[in-house]
Amino acid sequence: MKATFITLGLALLVIQQGEAIKCYQGAPGSTVDADCTDSNAAATVCHQPMFTEYTGLAAGSYGCGACPSGTTKGTDCKECTGDTSAGCNAPEATGADFNCHTYTINAAKTAFTKTGTLTCKRLAATPIKCNMPGNVFDNTFTVANGGCGPCDATAKAANKCAECDTAECNVMPSPIKCIQGDGSDMTAKDCLPAQGETTPTKCSQAKFVEYTGLATGQDYACGACAANSDAKCQDCTGKSDAACNTKIETAENFKCYDYELKDEKLVKKDAAVTCQRLKDTPIKCNMPGSAADKTYSVKNNGCGPCETADKTSNKCAECDKGECNSAFAVTALLLPLLTALYSLL
């Protein structure tokens, strides 16, 4: 503060001695550094339009004296202490203009739409920067400065705003498409995040379990499978041009027999079980093998192949036609008995 008073005092002393200060004067782009004369001969300060980063120079001109009527010091006009040797209000050097994309929220407030481009202004040392909506959706978010310049720090930290550093780089990725719902409508639709949610990058659907079929309790949806849902859900990486969670292709169903323990024996159940399979999955049924005992449990109700260990140890046998596992009903348990009887002969 003391230094300011000294500077102003010196300026007044110079003026009193008859030497006027110099100021840049005129419209932007055609200014001249000249003495302050006539009604401005006693001026001690110069003024100039304010430059706002990424927006540009405010309306107004350069001249002698305080900020003129109709302008606001510190908002669209600034002042500097005059000097007799050169104007203190020299135009600031600017960098080349660049463009950024502009965005607005749609009428339903469900997504942001690119509406055009905006010319961005900057000072010579200011880097190119554009901003856009981030991957956390907020329907109250407003793109900073029409897309020109960096994000607001708070919005950036919350991932509601994203920025980049080349001209027109602020292009939001197109939303992925997923089939959604219970499968009654298999049309791929855009995945739009709900308020406060992250933009989905995956699609999900019911998992197909070989020889059993589609898991229950899982719809077609946008987003990855929920935690601990591997038994019933499968997901895929989404694309903007088509859904990845399409209907799973299956082959014709077939039937196999299940077995149960009755009177200490494994016997075939009367009704065959329907088995489901993927398009290229072969027909396969399993049944008790020659080494199966009463503790053995037929796998997957008889549908599909044996487990490797059971097949190796002859506890399980398999075949490759529908209902082919019907002829092993009692044999598996009789063979050990017949062997024992034969040894007594």
Side-chain angles (χ1 to χ4, degrees):
M1 183 67 74
K2 184 176 179 181
T4 301
F5 284 137
I6 292 173
T7 302
L8 288 172
L10 290 173
L12 287 171
L13 180 61
V14 167
I15 294 167
Q16 289 173 356
Q17 293 175 344
E19 191 171 0
I21 63 169
K22 290 181 179 290
C23 292
Y24 283 86
Q25 302 169 46
S30 59
T31 58
V32 176
D33 187 14
D35 290 340
C36 293
T37 59
D38 300 331
S39 61
N40 291 315
T44 60
V45 295
C46 304
H47 68 264
Q48 66 189 108
M50 286 275 289
F51 189 96
T52 302
E53 284 288 20
Y54 302 107
T55 298
L57 199 66
S61 59
Y62 295 75
C64 300
C67 289
S69 175
T71 65
T72 302
K73 181 180 176 181
T75 300
D76 57 0
C77 178
K78 64 179 181 178
E79 300 173 357
C80 56
T81 301
D83 187 91
T84 58
S85 59
C88 61
N89 60 337
E92 297 173 281
T94 57
D97 293 348
F98 62 97
N99 289 340
C100 291
H101 294 286
T102 58
Y103 287 87
T104 187
I105 192 78
N106 64 9
K109 293 188 178 297
T110 57
F112 287 94
T113 303
K114 188 170 63 172
T115 55
T117 58
L118 182 67
T119 299
C120 312
K121 309 282 186 177
R122 60 187 175 124
L123 294 177
T126 301
I128 292 173
K129 194 81 73 174
C130 296
N131 72 87
M132 58 188 158
N135 65 352
V136 173
F137 180 69
D138 179 2
N139 60 22
T140 67
F141 174 75
T142 301
V143 175
N145 200 32
C148 295
C151 294
D152 169 79
T154 301
K156 184 178 180 181
N159 291 320
K160 294 179 179 180
C161 180
E163 57 189 40
C164 52
D165 55 10
T166 57
E168 298 187 40
C169 60
N170 60 334
V171 178
M172 291 181 68
S174 298
I176 63 168
K177 294 181 182 293
C178 295
I179 295 169
Q180 303 167 40
D182 61 6
S184 56
D185 180 1
M186 298 297 287
T187 305
K189 299 180 178 67
D190 286 347
C191 288
L192 302 177
Q195 179 75 354
E197 291 187 356
T198 301
T199 303
T201 59
K202 290 189 173 185
C203 303
S204 54
Q205 66 191 112
K207 188 173 187 175
F208 189 94
V209 181
E210 280 287 24
Y211 301 108
T212 299
L214 284 172
T216 59
Q218 177 66 48
D219 283 344
Y220 292 89
C222 298
C225 292
N228 303 316
S229 65
D230 291 350
K232 69 174 185 178
C233 182
Q234 64 186 45
D235 53 35
C236 52
T237 301
K239 302 179 294 182
S240 61
D241 58 346
C244 63
N245 61 337
T246 54
K247 183 178 180 179
I248 296 173
E249 293 186 76
T250 58
E252 185 179 358
N253 295 343
F254 62 98
K255 291 188 175 184
C256 295
Y257 287 100
D258 194 9
Y259 284 75
E260 61 184 341
L261 187 66
K262 281 186 177 181
D263 300 326
E264 300 296 301
K265 299 173 185 178
L266 285 170
V267 296
K268 177 177 70 69
K269 292 182 179 181
D270 292 334
V273 176
T274 298
C275 311
Q276 300 182 53
R277 58 190 174 126
L278 294 175
K279 180 181 178 183
D280 298 320
T281 299
I283 293 174
K284 196 81 73 172
C285 296
N286 73 84
M287 54 191 160
S290 60
D293 58 25
K294 65 181 181 180
T295 64
Y296 178 74
S297 179
V298 172
K299 302 302 181 285
N300 200 30
N301 301 319
C303 295
C306 297
E307 291 185 358
T308 302
D310 288 341
K311 185 177 181 180
T312 301
S313 63
N314 293 319
K315 290 183 177 181
C316 179
E318 58 188 42
C319 52
D320 57 8
K321 294 180 181 178
E323 301 183 44
C324 62
N325 64 336
S326 63
F328 219 86
V330 186
T331 307
L333 295 179
L334 288 179
L335 281 175
L337 178 59
L338 291 173
T339 302
L341 288 173
Y342 181 79
S343 66
L344 296 175
L345 296 178

